[in-house]
Amino acid sequence: MTSPEPETVRVRFAPSPTGFLHVGGVRTALYNWLVARGQKGTMILRIEDTDVERSTEEAVTAILDGLRWLKLDWDEGPDVGGPVGPYRQLERYTLYRDAAQRLLREGKAYPCTCLPEELAARREAARSAKPAPQHLCPCRTAGPTPGRRQAIRFSATARARVGWDDLVQGRIEVAADEIDDFIILRSDDRETPVYNFAAVVDDALMGITHVVRGADHIPNTPKQILLYEALGYPVPAFAHIPLVLGPDREKLSKRHGDVALQAYRDQGYLPEAMINYLVRLGWAHGDQEVFTREELIKAFQLERVGASPGIFDRAKLDWLNALHIRQTPLDVLADLLAPFWGAAGVDPRTVEARSRTWLVQAVALFVERSKTLLEMARSMAFLFAPPAARDPKAEAKFLTPDHLALLAETRQALAQAPDFSAEALEDLVRRLAEARGRKLVDYAQPIRVALTGTTVSPPIFPVLALLGREVVLNRLARILGPG
RNA sequence: GUCCCCAUCGUCUAGCCCGGCCUAGGACAUCGGCCCUUCAAGCCGAUAACGGGGGUUCGAAUCCCCCUGGGGACACCA
């Protein structure tokens, strides 16, 4: 009772719903979540939809779905509510207006009636000017032009330097005269706030203690600090995590291919693998590469996040995904595969027609050789229907007249095999090979090509057992032709 | 252009804060080998990095400065 209540950590993930949930954003969400869960703090989800033009409901849905899929849960947010809501900026306009009014009253902001064209022209001129002009907008001293729409501009007057101790980047400082007065409320009918203003008002009102976001926000931070001070709010701690880059070392974007989380889900990446991959991109815990969620919560420290950007490496993601697939129980995998049959060209009904034990046995044969669930479903397709086409090179190599003769003999033996189990079949075919002084490959590969259409498959005898005598004999007959 | 940030193998990184234990460690990828009915998985091995230059020091990947290179931001977008 006497010990003071430790200040609880409050962090937030604040995406703008203008597109899909980007893997870079996912990592930001993950780091925030890890901070919250690791310190028994609070994770807040806030939707930054003040850009009415570009924000969409679909994007909001995609963001929530994506986070749920990854099991990155939040304690307060648009769907669950919370004590400092609402959690959509669209519903918080009066808060921003009130804050702006206060700054206006206190002389810390002023109405601006500059036209966008005027501003653009002055900006253009300023770019080449030797000493950069102090202000792009004259309204602060000249006053607003009557009869024009008014925006509200913040007076960025401050002491010589603005700086902060960034939890991952270290000390960052800029000269205060680098910061020109900036718009906080637009001149539109609804007087919508601009990002920097809305973010500060919200973070302050929501009691955010640690702002964990992408390094692309570093240039915004001095402006925001000025705003916190003008508004009389405590300045939170900042942690700017390095950007995720594409192979060309530029900020990851659509032109780099798959950047939407959904793309990875649709290709059969597991949430555990995505998290495991993303967390290690910019952070390390000794030499450990593989983590469970619990281990991450325990081990993660913001201070251990590196300051340099990292390139998204699909190959390593693949490795981790394969690894997490192998660690997933077979029956769970069987369920996880369900959404992928269609894309793999398999009629889901033929899958449902099989027993659960059969399916699990089948999955067991493919876990070790699949990088994604989609890939697994695809390579399992031949179990449910004869291969649509056979690899011509495989045929040329393993369905020669010589091989076909062996195959015909094998088919006879299989037809009469008393026991169609993998072990018995292997024993049987090995005997055949031995009797003729041939290698097992000369039997295994032709069978494989005949049944699967390719030279690659799990061990052939378990496959035979799984397919069952009837299917096997039929498919072999099709290769061997009549007679 | 201006401001800010970053800099260890191809990639993710350990080491850097608190200089010697670093002949720079691990992982992915790549290339060999083993195993083997194919492919995987597994195991063994190989290639591969402190961007450059000045300092400081007995000693620097580690501290300081400069250069170079890369990136980010410069909106009534977020």
Side-chain angles (χ1 to χ4, degrees):
Chain A
M1 281 299 121
T2 49
S3 64
E5 192 68 22
E7 191 180 316
T8 56
V9 166
R10 289 174 67 80
V11 295
R12 105 272 125 122
F13 177 54
S16 65
T18 54
F20 295 103
L21 186 52
H22 179 280
V23 290
V26 170
R27 193 182 56 149
T28 303
L30 171 63
Y31 283 8
N32 271 286
W33 185 83
L34 252 12
V35 168
R37 300 285 96 112
Q39 302 187 40
K40 300 275 184 290
T42 305
M43 171 75 175
I44 295 158
L45 177 63
R46 181 174 75 223
I47 302 298
E48 308 222 323
D49 50 4
T50 56
D51 184 350
V52 186
E53 297 292 305
R54 298 194 299 147
S55 296
T56 66
E57 247 350 90
E58 296 75 65
V60 174
T61 309
I63 289 165
L64 299 197
D65 284 354
L67 294 175
R68 286 192 191 111
W69 178 65
L70 293 166
K71 297 197 186 70
L72 298 181
D73 59 336
W74 50 95
D75 307 300
E76 301 172 22
D79 55 335
V80 292
V84 291
Y87 294 87
R88 278 173 176 253
Q89 293 188 325
L90 211 59
E91 297 164 5
R92 299 172 63 84
Y93 282 178
T94 56
L95 264 17
Y96 311 127
R97 274 196 291 265
D98 291 349
Q101 282 306 320
R102 224 172 81 217
L103 292 179
L104 233 28
R105 271 200 309 278
E106 294 169 5
K108 295 169 179 168
Y110 56 91
C112 163
T113 51
C114 295
L115 266 18
E117 308 85 72
E118 297 174 339
L119 260 7
R122 288 186 211 125
R123 202 158 7 242
E124 189 55 39
R127 198 171 282 268
S128 46
K130 301 283 171 45
Q134 266 295 95
H135 301 294
L136 248 30
C137 159
C139 302
R140 182 168 170 181
T141 46
T145 306
R148 303 221 296 214
R149 301 193 67 100
Q150 296 191 343
I152 307 299
R153 197 176 278 274
F154 178 68
S155 297
T157 37
R159 65 266 181 217
R161 304 189 71 75
V162 185
W164 73 99
D165 293 303
D166 198 279
L167 262 30
V168 338
Q169 304 284 342
R171 181 77 191 169
I172 299 180
E173 274 190 2
V174 295
D177 57 18
E178 290 294 330
I179 308 168
D180 191 12
D181 294 354
F182 53 94
I183 299 286
I184 55 178
L185 237 46
R186 298 188 181 96
S187 62
D188 57 7
D189 291 329
R190 304 185 61 186
E191 299 180 288
T192 57
V194 132
Y195 167 75
N196 276 317
F197 190 58
V200 167
V201 170
D202 287 344
D203 284 340
L205 261 27
M206 291 181 173
I208 301 301
T209 58
H210 299 254
V211 173
V212 181
R213 75 221 312 189
D216 48 347
H217 284 289
I218 289 176
N220 289 321
T221 309
K223 293 179 182 178
Q224 297 184 2
I225 290 175
L226 257 26
L227 247 15
Y228 279 106
E229 291 173 348
L231 257 6
Y233 293 133
V235 181
F238 292 100
H240 288 95
I241 63 180
L243 297 178
V244 179
L245 310 180
D248 58 357
R249 305 195 154 273
E250 284 185 29
K251 188 159 78 162
L252 195 64
S253 70
K254 311 98 228 147
R255 55 191 186 74
H256 291 110
D258 294 324
V259 291
L261 179 68
Q262 174 134 24
Y264 292 89
R265 180 175 61 182
D266 294 348
Q267 285 168 60
Y269 288 86
L270 300 179
E272 295 74 31
M274 291 304 294
I275 286 178
N276 199 153
Y277 175 70
L278 256 12
V279 79
R280 278 288 284 100
L281 187 53
W283 173 84
H285 185 245
D287 285 339
Q288 188 171 354
E289 294 285 352
V290 183
F291 295 87
T292 64
R293 200 170 283 254
E294 292 66 37
E295 288 172 327
L296 284 179
I297 291 172
K298 199 168 292 177
F300 185 81
Q301 286 183 82
L302 258 189
E303 294 74 13
R304 296 270 322 158
V305 174
S308 52
I311 296 171
F312 190 87
D313 181 15
R314 184 65 164 259
K316 188 156 186 182
L317 206 212
D318 282 348
W319 170 72
L320 273 168
N321 201 236
L323 196 138
H324 279 92
I325 284 177
R326 276 177 260 137
Q327 291 182 348
T328 305
L330 298 177
D331 59 324
V332 174
L333 279 177
D335 292 331
L336 290 177
L337 245 16
F340 295 94
W341 295 123
V346 176
D347 183 343
R349 286 170 302 184
T350 65
V351 179
E352 280 156 32
R354 293 297 192 164
S355 77
R356 177 126 187 117
T357 29
W358 186 91
L359 223 206
V360 170
Q361 282 173 351
V363 169
L365 294 179
F366 291 85
V367 236
E368 246 171 30
R369 53 208 102 224
S370 305
K371 288 201 281 286
T372 66
L373 295 174
L374 179 58
E375 189 186 294
M376 194 184 311
R378 281 193 176 132
S379 50
M380 289 176 77
F382 77 87
L383 291 176
F384 304 97
R390 263 188 301 279
D391 174 14
K393 275 190 296 217
E395 279 189 329
K397 189 166 180 193
F398 294 111
L399 295 183
T400 63
D402 172 47
H403 288 306
L404 289 175
L406 297 179
L407 203 53
E409 187 188 25
T410 309
R411 184 175 184 277
Q412 284 307 316
L414 291 175
Q416 287 154 20
D419 179 356
F420 217 74
S421 72
E423 301 73 33
L425 294 176
E426 174 161 1
D427 196 51
L428 182 144
V429 176
R430 275 189 193 280
R431 264 188 238 275
L432 284 178
E434 213 171 310
R436 291 212 172 273
R438 308 282 302 231
K439 289 191 201 156
L440 190 55
V441 210
D442 294 328
Y443 289 81
Q445 283 303 69
I447 297 175
R448 182 168 277 121
V449 175
L451 297 184
T452 74
T454 73
T455 55
V456 174
S457 89
I460 199 64
F461 301 112
V463 168
L464 290 177
L466 212 47
L467 283 173
R469 193 193 308 261
E470 195 187 330
V471 172
V472 169
L473 294 181
N474 283 342
R475 289 197 196 173
L476 290 183
R478 205 185 295 198
I479 299 291
L480 294 166

